[in-house]
């Protein structure tokens, strides 16, 4: 990742096809080998901790890790199908995109099986709803990326608003939601202060509903736009076609933006707030009460 980042910012090779190849791989390494691995690592650590149970399968975790390294590093040019890039390089990216079904399936199964039997905990947790949505989007968004990589589908979807929807499903639905869950799991433990349950719920639902309003219309409109292009219709017709879908995108984006204001409020309450219970003191009180009850029980048994 560091090597690719360095090359991406060097002037050498940044001309024509060479620039396209370098930036394509840099873009995908940043998403898959930096953001995705970082947030999946947080999920692997915090999900069992929040559920108070071990990870379902260590073997599935190892399979997901190494297969993602193997396949994700070669898919950087699947956004340049039918371009001037070498045909074999495009084919390698398509094969790697199909191979990504292995780590995604292994990871999703591992996470959902870890949650199995603990669904009731989700309704009483700040972080688990965000983790669950992140896992669902990890599966659907990654499968969507594989579907887009084929030449037949790429011909319709690429350069349309469908790709914009896909990028937001992955970077927001996966990365951002896992980040939100990590914040709500870690910050209260660091500060000893809990956020408002109502405010966390508002953040979750505004972000989730906003993302639906943002992405689903763009997927529908983008598909129709691509079909219009394939039929050779005037470009301006596809622009007019997208007007209502862009309106829904604006509504969804506004909801997502407002959810970030709520997140900032929650962070303020968790860090600087004074009117919320200190969970560390509550935990120590609970431990002291438990010790007292155990001593009383032991005394009664001795009598």
């Amino acid at each position: 990742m560091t090597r690719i980042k360095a090359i991406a910012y060097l002037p050498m090779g940044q001309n024509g096809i060479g620039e396209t190849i370098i930036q394509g791989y840099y873009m995908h390494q940043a998403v898959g080998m930096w953001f995705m691995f970082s947030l999946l690592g947080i999920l692997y650590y915090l999900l069992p901790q929040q559920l108070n149970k071990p990870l379902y399968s260590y073997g599935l975790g190892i399979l997901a890790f190494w297969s993602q390294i193997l396949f994700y590093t070669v898919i950087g040019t699947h956004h340049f199908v039918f371009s001037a890039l070498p045909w074999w390089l495009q084919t390698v990216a398509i094969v790697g995109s199909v191979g990504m079904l292995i780590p995604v399936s292994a990871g999703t199964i591992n996470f959902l099986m870890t949650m199995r039997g603990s669904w009731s905990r989700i309704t009483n947790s700040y972080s688990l709803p965000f983790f669950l949505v992140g896992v669902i989007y990890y599966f659907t968004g990654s499968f969507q990326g594989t579907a887009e990589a084929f030449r037949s589908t790429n011909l319709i979807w690429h350069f349309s608003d469908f790709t914009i929807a896909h990028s937001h499903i992955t970077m927001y639905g996966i990365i951002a939601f896992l980040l939100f869950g990590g914040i709500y799991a870690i910050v209260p433990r660091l500060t000893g202060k809990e956020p408002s349950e109502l405010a966390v719920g508002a953040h979750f639902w505004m972000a989730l509903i906003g993302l639906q309003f943002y992405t689903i219309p763009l997927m529908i409109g983008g598909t129709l736009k691509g079909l219009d292009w394939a039929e050779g219709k005037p470009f301006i017709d596809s622009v007019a076609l997208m007007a209502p879908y862009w309106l829904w995108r604006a509504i969804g984006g506004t909801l997502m933006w407002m959810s970030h204001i709520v997140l900032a409020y929650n962070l303020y309450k968790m860090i600087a707030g004074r009117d919320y219970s200190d969970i560390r003191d509550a935990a120590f009180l609970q431990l002291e009460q438990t010790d007292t009850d155990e001593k009383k029980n032991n005394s009664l048994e001795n009598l």
Side-chain angles (χ1 to χ4, degrees):
M1 174 62 195
T2 304
R3 190 179 306 142
I4 292 177
K5 183 176 180 180
I7 294 173
Y9 284 95
L10 290 175
M12 292 79 74
Q14 299 291 318
N15 294 301
I17 299 301
E19 180 180 11
T20 302
I21 295 174
I22 290 173
Q23 295 302 324
Y25 277 98
Y26 170 56
M27 171 184 65
H28 259 279
Q29 304 307 345
V31 173
M33 308 302 287
W34 178 251
F35 290 109
M36 192 68 74
F37 264 116
S38 298
L39 273 300
L40 286 177
I42 289 175
L43 185 61
Y44 271 109
Y45 177 78
L46 289 177
L47 182 62
Q49 190 256 16
Q50 292 293 293
L51 292 171
N52 196 28
K53 61 191 296 189
L55 188 70
Y56 172 71
S57 172
Y58 177 79
L60 282 175
I62 294 298
L63 173 64
F65 177 81
W66 287 110
S67 57
Q68 178 146 334
I69 288 181
L70 173 64
F71 292 114
Y72 211 108
T73 52
V74 299
I75 67 175
T77 56
H78 75 179
H79 284 291
F80 304 107
V81 177
F82 297 114
S83 70
L85 268 61
W87 194 259
W88 66 267
L89 188 60
Q90 300 175 33
T91 302
V92 167
I94 295 171
V95 172
S97 299
V98 176
M100 279 298 298
L101 298 179
I102 297 174
V104 170
S105 298
T108 302
I109 292 171
N110 212 3
F111 298 137
L112 293 180
M113 292 300 288
T114 302
M115 293 181 183
R116 186 183 63 171
S118 303
W119 300 111
S120 60
R121 290 176 177 265
I122 295 176
T123 58
N124 299 316
S125 171
Y126 295 132
S127 60
L128 289 176
F130 291 95
F131 286 152
L132 177 59
V133 170
V135 170
I136 293 172
Y137 272 119
Y138 177 57
F139 179 81
T140 56
S142 299
F143 266 64
Q144 184 187 62
T146 297
E148 284 185 82
F150 293 104
R151 288 188 172 94
S152 57
T153 53
N154 201 283
L155 195 62
I156 302 297
W157 283 332
H158 208 254
F159 300 117
S160 76
D161 292 75
F162 192 99
T163 304
I164 298 173
H166 169 65
S167 66
H168 281 77
I169 284 174
T170 52
M171 286 303 293
Y172 197 89
I174 305 173
I175 303 301
F177 266 83
L178 293 182
L179 180 62
F180 296 152
I183 289 172
Y184 287 122
I186 295 173
V187 175
R189 298 180 64 187
L190 294 175
T191 64
K193 300 181 181 68
E194 289 185 306
S196 164
E197 184 177 346
L198 181 61
V200 175
H203 173 207
F204 174 79
W205 287 111
M206 290 168 67
L208 180 58
I209 295 173
L211 185 59
Q212 305 306 306
F213 286 174
Y214 193 106
T215 57
I216 294 176
L218 289 187
M219 287 189 288
I220 297 172
T223 301
L224 296 175
K225 177 192 282 189
L227 292 172
D228 279 359
W229 291 346
E231 293 175 4
K233 293 182 179 180
F235 179 78
I236 193 62
D237 289 356
S238 67
V239 176
L241 168 73
M242 289 301 301
Y245 303 104
W246 286 334
L247 175 61
W248 280 108
R249 171 184 175 170
I251 295 171
T254 301
L255 283 172
M256 292 158 68
W257 175 76
M258 292 172 63
S259 77
H260 301 161
I261 297 177
V262 180
L263 170 63
Y265 170 79
N266 289 337
L267 279 171
Y268 170 77
K269 287 298 183 181
M270 288 187 288
I271 296 172
R274 291 286 182 267
D275 55 342
Y276 289 83
S277 61
D278 192 311
I279 58 175
R280 288 179 297 190
D281 290 345
F284 285 127
L285 288 173
Q286 183 64 41
L287 289 172
E288 292 174 1
Q289 184 63 42
T290 302
D291 290 340
T292 302
D293 293 341
E294 288 179 355
K295 290 177 181 178
K296 288 181 179 179
N297 291 334
N298 291 333
S299 299
L300 292 174
E301 289 177 1
N302 292 333
L303 292 175

